[in-house]
């Protein structure tokens, strides 16, 4: 579904992404994992051309992204960011209708789809006329996802989508959202620095460091067959800390 | 208070018209500022490198005092609505540009990225996300600009653009408190109510705000036009100074004596000559010794029915001051008869047209009349305070007096030049804030003494009887002394451009009145 070849992004002082190649299969959830500054977000944003690559190529569904105008490309790719990235002046209904309206959908169709989504995402009907400030963090995240899924795009990109939530809500919302059938059929690329989130959600994880992929494979591969100490330490870090936490 | 309400009732028509003009001036300029300021604000939010210079320039414009700004604009745009609108526009610009810029740049980066991320184009991001979110901030700027403009628009009366300032400036010139308040109170009420109304709009929810902002924008041109429907067509346009328009020996006198009936533009007296020269007005209320009469080829209309009394210039001095400094009176009287009409006109011409400084002119004059004397060195423990009104002739006279007194006596002279009008000068003199100033007999008679109609009827409007009358009355009522007349009669007079007067066969005020009535 997504094919990235020799992708490089050179900033003035350093290469943020350095010769990255990877494939994402249809319906697969790929997690880009790593510390901040490792190049995972830059890689993600080059897929929908929020950032233009220095060299290399990206194909989505067999078409080079450079052949399409940025805004049109992005309308066909779902995009979810921290706290939903909602517009403060759009109600929930308007937020969900954002992309359908940009694509010029009929009113009835937009309405039907909106109702379908809020049912699936367990948002109350009364929330439709509320503004983001009137919602809880978890609700905002659901609305953000509903906006991204409104037109049933084949690909959804998520940039630290649960970053603004407290750990408890985060686990809860995450489990619930990724349980949705709609998302199961969609190709997802998700960026996170949270190891347990990656392990829970990913079909495959690409662990990045200094602009390069250190290891790509299933969570099981990375946990049990790390290619080097960096991978081992990165994946171990959290569970060990958690395990030894009470002893301190 | 009673007086004030009577005044308002009597002038309700005019008050309404000027209020509408005031609102019109405020909102036309606001509309222009919105049309230029909002796009400019958007532009600099895109090219942040331009931001500091654009905001810097708008900020500098904002700090230019309004009177000075009008002064700069008059040579470029003449008088009337033009310079007033431009000045108001420039003042409204900064709050609008700045708030548009700040409003847009303060939209959170996360929101802007989300907008790009869902596939909005640059224009869609601007119109669907940035501008709606910036709207409350932009609106706050509009509110600031509106309040500033309501205040500054009072100054439009300086340049014959009308508005509530007309009452304020006429009121100040005539020391008529009711008239002043009739302008000041509505102006203050306008500012407060616009501020309050816009503040209420600002507190509305995002959606309602969008609707009301739109409604407001549609309303602005309507408000803007409201002031300019009342203007009629006239054969000849009169431009009068605020003081002339209200003084009994000014326009009301002409109405009584000749039945003259015009709707004059009121403007600052120093701008009248420029205005008639540029053909923006056709008749002005000038002074017969003004240097610009020759310079601009103007015709002084004959006043054969003597609507204007004689205005012989002479220094008016506090009797107490004369008693304390015995050498003051003979010194001031050295000038008696030395300044004839033609001499004074020539001196005024040098200042107004040849741009010589009053100091230079005074020095030259004293040299040629042999009155010049180098000030004696040494201590000068005693000071006398001299006043003057705000026009060229008075500045020159003040300078002549200063050099004369400092040359011939051991007194030090402090000047309080530029005292607004007759009433202000006279009050300053009576209360002892100044010791003397040059006044004109007709003005002393009609503005200060204001004798009954019966007394006036028996008083021949000739130089000598008028001088004797004011001299006696001032001495008796106020212990003020009129010293010997300087020699010239600076009468109020109506003036037209020579060529136009010739074409219309107008030589006198009688001719003018019958032409206007045709």
């Amino acid at each position: 579904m997504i094919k990235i070849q020799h992708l490089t992004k050179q900033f003035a002082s350093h290469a943020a992404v350095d010769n990255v190649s990877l494939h994402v299969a249809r319906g697969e959830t790929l997690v880009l994992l790593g510390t901040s500054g490792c190049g995972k977000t830059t890689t993600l944003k080059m897929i929908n051309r929020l950032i233009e690559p220095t060299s290399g190529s990206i194909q989505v569904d067999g078409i080079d992204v450079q052949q399409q105008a940025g805004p049109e490309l992005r309308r066909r790719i779902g995009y979810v960011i921290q706290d939903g990235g909602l517009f403060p002046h759009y109600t929930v209904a308007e937020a969900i209708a954002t992309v359908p309206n940009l694509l010029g959908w009929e009113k009835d169709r937009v309405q039907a789809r909106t109702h379908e989504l809020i049912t699936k995402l367990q948002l109350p009907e009364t929330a439709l006329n509320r503004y983001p400030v009137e919602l809880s963090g978890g609700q905002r995240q659901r609305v953000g996802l509903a906006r991204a899924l409104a037109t049933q795009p084949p690909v959804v990109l998520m940039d630290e989508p649960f970053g603004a939530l407290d750990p408890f809500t985060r686990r809860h919302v995450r489990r619930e959202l990724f349980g949705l059938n709609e998302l199961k059929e969609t190709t997802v690329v998700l960026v996170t620095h949270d190891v347990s989130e990656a392990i829970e959600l990913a079909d495959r994880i690409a662990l990045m460091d200094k602009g390069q992929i250190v290891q790509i494979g299933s969570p099981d591969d990375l946990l049990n067959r790390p290619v080097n100490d960096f991978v081992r330490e990165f994946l171990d870090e959290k569970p060990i800390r958690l395990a030894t936490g009470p002893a301190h | 208070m009673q007086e004030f309400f009577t005044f308002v009732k009597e002038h309700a028509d005019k008050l309404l018209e000027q209020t509408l003009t005031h609102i019109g001036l405020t909102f036309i300029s606001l509309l222009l500022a919105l049309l230029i300021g909002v796009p400019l604000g958007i532009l600099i939010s895109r090219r942040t490198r331009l931001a500091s210079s654009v905001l810097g320039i708008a900020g500098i414009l904002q700090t230019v005092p309004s009177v000075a700004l009008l002064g700069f604009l008059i040579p470029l745009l003449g008088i009337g609505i033009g310079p007033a609108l431009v000045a108001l526009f420039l003042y409204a610009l900064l709050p609008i540009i700045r708030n548009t810029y700040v409003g847009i740049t303060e939209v959170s980066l996360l929101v802007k990225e989300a907008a790009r991320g869902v596939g909005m184009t640059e224009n869609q991001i601007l119109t669907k996300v940035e501008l709606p979110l910036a709207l409350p901030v932009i609106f706050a700027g509009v509110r600031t600009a509106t309040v500033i403009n309501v205040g500054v628009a009072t100054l439009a009366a300086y340049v014959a653009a009308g508005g509530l300032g007309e009452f304020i400036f006429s009121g100040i010139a005539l020391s008529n408190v009711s008239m002043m308040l009739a302008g000041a109170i509505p102006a203050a009420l306008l500012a407060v109510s616009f501020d309050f109304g816009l503040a209420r709009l600002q507190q509305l929810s995002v959606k309602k705000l969008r609707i009301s902002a739109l409604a407001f924008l549609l309303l602005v041109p309507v408000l803007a036009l409201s002031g300019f429907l009342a203007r009629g067509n006239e054969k000849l346009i009169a431009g009068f100074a605020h003081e002339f328009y209200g003084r009994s020996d000014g326009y009301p006198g002409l109405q009584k004596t000749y039945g003259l009936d015009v709707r004059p533009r009121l403007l600052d007296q120093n701008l009248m000559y420029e205005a008639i020269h540029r053909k923006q007005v056709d008749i002005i209320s000038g002074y017969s010794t003004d240097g610009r009469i020759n310079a601009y080829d103007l015709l002084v209309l004959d006043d054969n029915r003597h609507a204007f009394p004689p205005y012989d210039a002479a220094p008016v001095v506090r009797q107490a001051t004369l008693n304390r400094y015995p050498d003051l009176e003979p010194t001031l009287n050295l000038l008696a008869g030395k300044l004839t009409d033609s001499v004074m006109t020539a001196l005024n011409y040098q200042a107004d047209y040849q741009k010589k400084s009053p100091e230079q002119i005074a020095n030259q004059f004293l040299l040629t009349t042999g009155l010049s004397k180098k000030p004696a060195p040494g201590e000068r423990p005693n000071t006398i305070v001299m006043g003057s009104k705000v026009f060229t002739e008075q500045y020159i006279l003040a300078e002549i007096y200063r050099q004369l007194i400092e040359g011939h006596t051991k007194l030090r002279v402090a000047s309080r030049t530029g005292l607004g009008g007759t009433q202000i000068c006279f009050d300053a003199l009576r209360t002892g804030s100044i010791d003397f100033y040059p006044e004109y007999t007709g003005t002393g008679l009609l503005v200060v003494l204001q004798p009954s109609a019966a007394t006036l009827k028996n008083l021949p409007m000739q130089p000598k009887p008028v001088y004797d009358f004011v001299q006696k009355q001032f001495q008796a009522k106020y212990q003020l002394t009129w010293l010997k007349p300087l020699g010239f009669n600076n009468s109020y007079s109506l003036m037209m451009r020579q060529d136009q007067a010739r074409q219309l066969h107008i030589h006198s005020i009688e001719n003018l009145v019958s032409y206007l009535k045709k």
Side-chain angles (χ1 to χ4, degrees):
Chain A
M1 193 67 195
I2 301 172
K3 192 170 163 195
I4 296 176
Q5 285 175 310
H6 308 296
L7 189 67
T8 296
K9 178 64 187 179
Q10 186 71 40
F11 285 125
S13 57
H14 66 289
V17 175
D18 187 4
N19 196 21
V20 164
S21 299
L22 59 85
H23 294 239
V24 189
R26 191 175 295 271
E28 184 182 30
T29 297
L30 176 82
V31 172
L32 296 175
L33 179 67
T35 52
S36 39
C38 72
K40 57 191 192 300
T41 295
T42 308
T43 305
L44 183 86
K45 286 183 178 173
M46 283 192 283
I47 298 174
N48 67 358
R49 291 187 58 193
L50 285 175
I51 294 176
E52 298 291 352
T54 309
S55 64
S57 75
I58 300 173
Q59 287 179 5
V60 173
D61 214 1
I63 304 168
D64 192 321
V65 295
Q66 292 297 328
Q67 287 172 5
Q68 313 163 62
E72 273 161 45
L73 172 76
R74 289 191 278 273
R75 283 172 204 174
R76 279 185 282 106
I77 297 176
Y79 187 57
V80 185
I81 59 176
Q82 206 175 76
D83 212 17
L86 299 177
F87 306 144
H89 62 305
Y90 273 28
T91 60
V92 170
E94 288 171 321
I96 297 173
T98 309
V99 186
N101 283 339
L102 288 175
L103 292 172
W105 281 20
E106 302 274 326
K107 238 187 181 164
D108 293 349
R109 190 177 168 203
V110 177
Q111 226 160 30
R113 179 64 178 150
T114 305
H115 282 281
E116 188 185 345
L117 276 167
I118 62 163
T119 317
K120 278 188 184 167
L121 292 168
Q122 295 171 19
L123 284 160
E125 191 84 11
T126 51
L128 282 177
N129 288 320
R130 288 199 207 136
Y131 288 95
V133 285
E134 302 166 302
L135 303 175
S136 70
Q139 284 175 325
R140 278 202 288 275
Q141 201 50 62
R142 280 170 232 226
V143 176
L145 189 66
R147 182 177 69 184
L149 294 175
T151 57
Q152 291 174 294
V155 174
V156 173
L157 307 179
M158 300 189 183
D159 188 2
E160 303 268 9
F162 308 110
L165 303 178
D166 65 83
F168 177 77
T169 317
R170 181 191 302 206
R171 263 198 302 280
H172 184 71
V173 172
R174 181 161 87 195
R175 227 160 261 158
E176 192 187 311
L177 294 188
F178 274 79
L180 287 174
N181 279 334
E182 241 176 276
L183 208 51
K184 276 185 188 149
E185 293 155 14
T186 313
T187 309
V188 176
V189 179
L190 183 144
V191 161
T192 186
H193 59 264
D194 183 331
V195 175
S196 52
E197 188 167 295
I199 291 169
E200 185 186 326
L201 299 179
D203 294 321
R204 279 191 303 150
I205 295 172
L207 178 63
M208 293 185 68
D209 185 39
K210 293 171 189 146
Q212 292 178 324
I213 294 177
V214 185
Q215 184 173 3
I216 186 165
S218 66
D220 183 55
D221 280 344
L222 269 74
L223 281 170
N224 298 322
R225 288 172 290 284
V227 292
N228 58 20
D229 288 352
F230 175 80
V231 178
R232 184 177 303 115
E233 275 164 32
F234 197 94
L235 291 178
D236 273 0
E237 196 175 22
K238 256 202 180 138
I240 288 167
R241 265 203 197 148
L242 283 174
T244 56
H248 284 279
Chain B
M1 217 55 217
Q2 191 59 44
E3 260 173 76
F4 170 71
F5 287 118
T6 324
F7 182 90
V8 169
K9 221 181 274 171
E10 278 171 8
H11 296 79
D13 280 359
K14 183 109 206 246
L15 196 57
L16 182 69
E17 183 193 323
Q18 298 297 16
T19 307
L20 290 178
T21 306
H22 203 94
I23 295 173
L25 285 169
T26 304
F27 283 97
I28 288 189
S29 52
L30 188 67
L31 185 66
L32 291 175
L34 279 171
L35 288 177
I36 306 288
V38 171
L40 210 54
I42 293 170
L43 178 77
I44 59 172
S45 74
R46 292 287 179 272
R47 313 236 162 105
T48 38
R49 232 182 287 167
L50 286 177
S52 61
S53 42
V54 169
L55 289 173
I57 292 168
I60 289 167
L61 287 174
Q62 189 85 11
T63 60
V64 177
S66 28
V67 177
L69 188 59
L70 285 172
F72 283 131
L73 291 171
I74 285 156
L76 303 172
L77 299 167
I79 61 149
I81 291 179
L85 280 184
V86 171
L88 289 172
F89 158 76
L90 292 176
Y91 282 120
L93 214 46
L94 177 67
I96 291 175
I97 298 177
R98 186 186 49 206
N99 284 42
T100 306
Y101 169 73
V102 170
I104 289 178
T105 47
E106 273 186 355
V107 172
S108 108
L109 281 176
L110 213 61
V111 168
K112 284 184 201 177
E113 189 179 294
R116 283 188 74 207
V118 299
M120 287 189 180
T121 61
E122 286 300 313
N123 280 339
Q124 286 168 333
I125 294 172
L126 179 68
T127 56
K128 288 176 192 283
V129 178
E130 287 176 314
L131 282 179
L133 287 174
L135 204 57
V137 184
I138 297 175
F139 220 70
V142 172
R143 190 177 146 202
T144 311
T146 308
V147 175
I148 291 177
N149 272 10
V150 172
V152 178
T154 52
L155 292 172
Y158 265 130
V159 290
L164 290 165
E166 223 164 70
F167 287 98
I168 299 175
F169 292 120
S170 301
I172 292 172
L174 300 166
S175 258
N176 182 335
V177 176
S178 298
M179 190 186 277
M180 217 154 68
L181 290 179
I185 292 175
L189 286 180
L190 278 185
V192 171
S193 52
F194 282 135
D195 190 46
F196 181 74
L198 292 173
R200 288 290 296 272
L201 282 184
Q202 220 181 320
Q203 285 160 6
L204 292 177
S205 68
V206 183
K207 192 151 247 161
K208 283 191 192 144
L209 180 61
R210 256 187 281 175
I211 295 165
S212 50
L214 214 66
F216 177 74
L217 284 183
L218 291 175
L219 201 66
V220 166
V222 178
L223 286 173
L225 287 175
S226 67
F228 300 93
L229 300 172
R231 307 245 159 196
N233 252 346
E234 290 140 279
K235 279 188 192 168
L236 292 174
I237 300 168
F240 292 162
H242 297 101
E243 188 173 356
F244 178 83
Y245 186 61
R247 259 171 69 158
S248 61
D249 56 333
Y251 180 62
L254 289 176
Q255 280 179 304
K256 219 184 296 168
T257 314
Y258 290 99
L260 178 70
D261 183 25
V262 289
R263 281 186 44 188
R265 311 278 188 274
L266 299 190
L267 71 162
D268 188 74
Q269 59 183 0
N270 293 309
L271 300 175
M272 287 185 307
Y273 295 91
E274 199 63 31
I276 194 169
H277 181 56
R278 289 162 159 270
K279 301 187 179 170
Q280 291 177 316
V281 296
D282 305 307
I283 311 162
I284 60 168
S285 60
Y287 294 101
S288 59
T289 51
D290 200 288
R292 288 165 290 196
I293 294 172
N294 292 336
Y296 290 159
D297 205 16
L298 302 178
L299 176 73
V300 176
L301 300 184
D302 271 345
D303 171 27
N304 30 21
R305 290 193 206 160
H306 299 290
F308 300 124
Y311 295 86
D312 292 300
V316 187
V317 197
R318 291 171 63 83
Q319 187 58 50
T321 309
L322 290 178
N323 295 343
R324 199 172 327 134
Y325 310 117
D327 51 350
L328 183 63
E329 182 167 348
T331 306
L332 290 176
N333 277 339
L334 285 173
L335 284 178
K338 288 280 191 318
L339 286 151
T340 59
D341 280 0
S342 56
V343 171
M344 194 65 234
T345 310
L347 297 185
N348 284 333
Y349 177 79
Q350 289 175 20
D352 284 329
Y353 209 67
Q354 300 177 332
K355 307 291 175 202
K356 286 193 191 166
S357 71
E359 201 177 344
Q360 244 180 313
I361 297 168
N363 191 293
Q364 192 64 39
F365 167 79
L366 291 173
L367 279 174
T368 48
T369 47
L371 294 173
S372 179
K373 223 174 173 185
K374 265 227 163 87
E379 292 257 317
R380 286 172 184 264
N382 296 318
T383 301
I384 69 159
V385 184
M386 164 181 70
S388 87
K389 300 182 189 177
V390 257
F391 52 90
T392 311
E393 181 169 288
Q394 292 258 331
Y395 285 121
I396 295 173
L397 288 178
E399 194 51 44
I400 292 176
Y401 280 130
R402 193 183 62 77
Q403 295 184 14
L404 190 73
I405 295 168
E406 294 195 337
H408 290 257
T409 71
K410 282 255 178 185
L411 292 167
R412 208 168 64 82
V413 179
S415 315
R416 299 273 179 280
T417 50
L419 296 174
T422 299
Q423 202 66 45
I424 296 171
C425 276
F426 177 72
D427 286 341
L429 185 64
R430 202 169 40 105
T431 56
S433 303
I434 58 176
D435 292 302
F436 80 100
Y437 77 96
E439 185 54 281
Y440 308 89
T441 52
T443 309
L445 176 72
L446 295 168
V447 179
V448 179
L449 295 173
Q450 301 187 2
S452 67
T455 319
L456 274 181
K457 212 168 182 186
N458 294 325
L459 183 67
M461 282 296 149
Q462 300 299 327
K464 179 87 170 90
V466 172
Y467 177 82
D468 289 343
F469 184 83
V470 295
Q471 157 75 301
K472 206 182 279 167
Q473 293 282 322
F474 266 61
Q475 187 62 259
K477 279 191 180 166
Y478 311 113
Q479 289 79 52
L480 299 175
T481 302
W482 285 74
L483 297 184
K484 288 184 185 161
L486 295 171
F488 68 90
N489 169 19
N490 182 5
S491 173
Y492 260 144
S493 45
L494 288 191
M495 302 172 190
M496 293 179 67
R497 285 185 301 280
Q498 287 271 12
D499 52 352
Q500 191 181 34
R502 209 177 301 130
Q503 204 185 335
L504 300 174
H505 306 293
I506 297 173
H507 315 286
S508 63
I509 301 177
E510 268 175 345
N511 295 158
L512 174 70
V513 172
S514 54
Y515 170 77
L516 289 175
K517 280 189 177 153
K518 253 194 288 193

